[in-house]
Amino acid sequence: MTQERQFIPLNIAIMTVSDSRDEETDKSGTTLVRLLTEAGHTLAEKVIVPDDKYHIRTVISRWIVENEIQVVITTGGTGLTGRDGTPEAVAPLLDKVIEGFGEMFRAISYDIIGASTIQSRALAGTANGTFLFCLPGSTGACKDGWKHLISVQLDYRTRPCNLVEIMPRLLEQ
């Protein structure tokens, strides 16, 4: 008989990367906060930073050294314009890239927005035992990424495997 697993709430930090958003107009960040809290997780912190790789790295570096923060989700800055720099900011901080995340995100997005999904550079990985997910800035992309990928993998009850169950092993030597 298989024993039912109990949900394990995680501490999640949200970063909106934008040169034009503020707390009042940040629909994507607000949506992510709502989704993670409705799922039973805890918001550790939410910030809005300019689309500048050094601002992004400064905040994420602080979060990945704090043991209380287990997951970081960014929204914005994953496109192709000159100011889109979230992947370039985050990639050097990663210990490991979760390549399947970007691939799956674009596959899911293809069914919704068609070939426009090639403009997304969604990214995920681990850094110092923390999971990082970089989503596009649109509210729809945040909802889709959360619903189809992130929430499922951040739920300890997901079988056959999930990211929560490997958290204690991320810093193995």
Side-chain angles (χ1 to χ4, degrees), residues 17-30:
V17 178
S18 176
D19 292 328
S20 60
R21 304 272 187 242
D22 57 28
E23 284 301 328
E24 192 173 304
T25 59
D26 179 20
K27 291 182 178 156
S28 295
T30 301

Side-chain angles (χ1 to χ4, degrees), residues 18-113:
S18 176
D19 292 328
S20 60
R21 304 272 187 242
D22 57 28
E23 284 301 328
E24 192 173 304
T25 59
D26 179 20
K27 291 182 178 156
S28 295
T30 301
T31 296
L32 286 168
V33 169
R34 178 180 53 79
L35 292 170
L36 76 88
T37 55
E38 286 176 356
H41 298 293
T42 302
L43 177 65
E45 187 175 348
K46 179 187 179 294
V47 298
I48 299 173
V49 299
D51 209 334
D52 172 85
K53 67 182 175 182
Y54 300 108
H55 281 94
I56 296 166
R57 282 184 194 156
T58 297
V59 175
I60 291 180
S61 293
R62 178 173 54 84
W63 284 344
I64 63 177
V65 298
E66 291 181 17
N67 291 331
E68 304 82 43
I69 295 176
Q70 297 155 308
V71 179
V72 172
I73 303 173
T74 71
T75 174
T78 63
L80 299 172
T81 71
R83 293 289 296 160
D84 289 325
T86 301
E88 290 77 15
V90 173
L93 301 175
L94 297 178
D95 297 323
K96 295 199 174 165
V97 175
I98 304 172
E99 295 185 12
F101 178 79
E103 296 164 358
M104 287 302 304
F105 178 83
R106 285 181 286 280
I108 291 163
S109 293
Y110 183 80
D111 290 337
I112 300 164
I113 64 170

